[in-house]
Amino acid sequence: MTDSTAVDPIRARVHELMPQARSDLAEMVAFKSVYDPAGEPPPDCDAMVEWLIATFTEVGVRDVEAHVTADGSTAVTGHIPGPAGAPTVLLYFHHDVQPPMDPDAWKSPAWELTERDGRWYGRGAADCKGNIAVHLTALRALAGEAGVNIKIIGEGSEEQGSGGIEDFVPKHPELLDADAILICDSGNCTVGQPTLTTSLRGVANVVVSVETLESAMHSGMFGGAAPDALAALISMLASLRDEHGNTTVRGLDATQEFDGIDYPAENFRRDATVLDGVDVVGSGRISDMVWARPAATVLGIDCSPVVGSSAAVTPRARARINLRVPPGMDAKVAQDALIAHLEEVAPWHVKMSIEREAVGAPFSGSTEGPAFDALVDAMSSAYGRDVVMQGQGGSIPLCTVLQQTFPDAEIMLLGVEEPSCLIHAPNESVDPSEIENLAIAEALFLRDYVRPE
């Protein structure tokens, strides 16, 4: 850890800046920046970009510009020049948010930052506007004393799949090329425990449709011999897991183990809101199941709803399947295996079609190098605890694009989005201590990271 005499000035500055951080976050949460790729961008998306340009300019970032990307969303870039010969650090964030979902489920207004029980509530308070607050606070705390060149990249459609920024990055390498890239869209394993995310599962989705009859037929007259499309689909979906809950897609290895921190079962039950008495599934450790192994999830089924259903054999049904793909496994190969599996287990020679959806590669972040070492030291010094390594089951396709575009860069994932934040759910929140400690860590890193001779 860095000597406390070198840490204390930064710690004091960040602490004094926390009221400003709260004000920044309150202003950002008030923007309803839910990007809709199918329609016109909401006015608040543009207003959010204008706010970012003004605020990053105010903290010393030069040439802050907006760029309309291929999917219609807007990216924000800028830079702060550092000493001659210094390394370059790219700071990533996204400024779009998830819709609030059920407004009645919120205990306070989704678009108004509200303090309750020591946490700050509001849509985007953690994902990812809390991380923007970290960047702004760190840059204010440094007050021009950074020892590196700094670049920023903010994207406007991360919650819709990052299509715009994935196209933008390889076309504008001069704006983004860096020795170290901090992807601030992750979080600690628990509040107060500094954590780097070193692996992300990829994604391979399909939609499977089953047809058996030209029309729905009376279940009293024809049920028993008429092939039920919904029953066929249910049997196919059931084959994706065994009795223990392990994913069983034929041809995919589901025995990998995660090399890093374990995820205590009691913490997982709490974080995942597992009901009392209901089992956690799978034969491995929690960390193996959610970070190192494939997982098939049925996202939705199209069939007759219970209310209004009639006594009829279902002629057609379909389902959307999400397959999470761990590092070391090719997402396209995994999607092929899922399709082949469904074709093999389909009963009764049903008519079946399968539509391929998004494929995103898994990602492994840096676990060694001068930037990694400097960031671990900065985070340990900020929190007063050793850094641990975790995986995440979600996907950030941009990480793979950055890795392919800048193969020599060290890429690290961190942020304020610890499990209690309930990102993507009603009552999203952030613990302000995470903003404060991460801002201290980022400021220390930007001050002290040097490229070895």
Side-chain angles (χ1 to χ4, degrees), residues 9-305:
I10 292 291
R11 189 182 303 280
R13 288 182 207 166
V14 169
H15 186 71
E16 291 174 358
L17 287 165
M18 284 305 292
Q20 179 65 59
R22 189 188 191 287
S23 177
D24 288 339
L25 189 56
E27 291 185 34
M28 287 189 282
V29 166
F31 293 115
K32 302 174 183 178
S33 53
V34 179
Y35 183 69
D36 179 8
E40 290 295 322
D44 274 16
C45 288
D46 292 336
M48 181 72 210
V49 169
E50 292 172 3
W51 187 92
L52 291 168
I53 292 173
T55 307
F56 272 102
T57 299
E58 180 263 324
V59 302
V61 181
R62 300 184 186 179
D63 302 321
V64 187
E65 297 181 333
H67 309 265
V68 177
T69 65
D71 68 355
S73 65
T74 302
V76 177
T77 64
H79 68 97
I80 301 175
T88 298
V89 176
L90 176 65
L91 304 177
Y92 165 87
F93 58 88
H94 68 83
H95 50 87
D96 65 314
V97 297
Q98 284 282 334
M101 302 173 67
D102 180 7
D104 294 333
W106 285 80
K107 296 179 181 179
S108 54
W111 305 112
E112 179 181 324
L113 193 69
T114 303
E115 186 167 355
R116 188 168 66 251
D117 300 325
R119 297 182 69 92
W120 296 346
Y121 287 80
R123 176 55 88 219
D127 183 21
C128 178
K129 293 174 179 178
N131 293 307
I132 301 175
V134 168
H135 293 324
L136 293 170
T137 304
L139 293 175
R140 286 192 174 101
L142 282 170
E145 298 176 5
V148 297
N149 301 288
I150 300 170
K151 296 178 179 180
I152 64 168
I153 176 64
E155 73 163 304
S157 62
E158 192 276 341
E159 302 293 4
Q160 301 299 326
S162 295
I165 202 72
E166 290 179 53
D167 177 78
F168 181 82
V169 167
K171 292 179 178 177
H172 300 85
E174 73 286 353
L175 296 176
L176 308 174
D177 190 15
D179 300 282
I181 302 175
L182 303 190
I183 304 293
C184 292
D185 190 18
S186 181
N188 293 335
C189 61
T190 189
V191 173
Q193 173 59 66
T195 308
L196 285 174
T197 297
T198 58
S199 70
L200 299 170
R201 288 192 295 193
V203 63
N205 288 0
V206 302
V207 174
V208 55
S209 300
V210 174
E211 290 187 89
T212 56
L213 305 170
E214 291 187 0
S215 68
M217 302 302 295
H218 193 284
S219 61
M221 295 177 64
F222 299 100
D228 184 327
L230 182 56
L233 180 61
I234 289 171
S235 73
M236 295 163 62
L237 299 178
S239 74
L240 297 176
R241 288 181 181 264
D242 65 18
E243 68 274 17
H244 303 294
N246 298 296
T247 292
T248 51
V249 175
R250 299 174 184 178
L252 296 186
D253 181 14
T255 63
Q256 300 95 320
E257 297 181 353
F258 182 72
D259 183 18
I261 190 173
D262 195 12
Y263 198 155
E266 62 274 18
N267 292 2
F268 179 82
R269 293 186 68 91
R270 181 194 65 235
D271 297 340
T273 69
V274 179
L275 298 177
D276 289 345
V278 177
D279 293 339
V280 173
V281 301
S283 301
R285 301 178 304 161
I286 301 296
S287 56
D288 301 331
M289 300 301 298
V290 299
W291 299 333
R293 297 180 181 178
T297 302
V298 180
L299 301 182
I301 298 178
D302 287 343
C303 60
S304 299

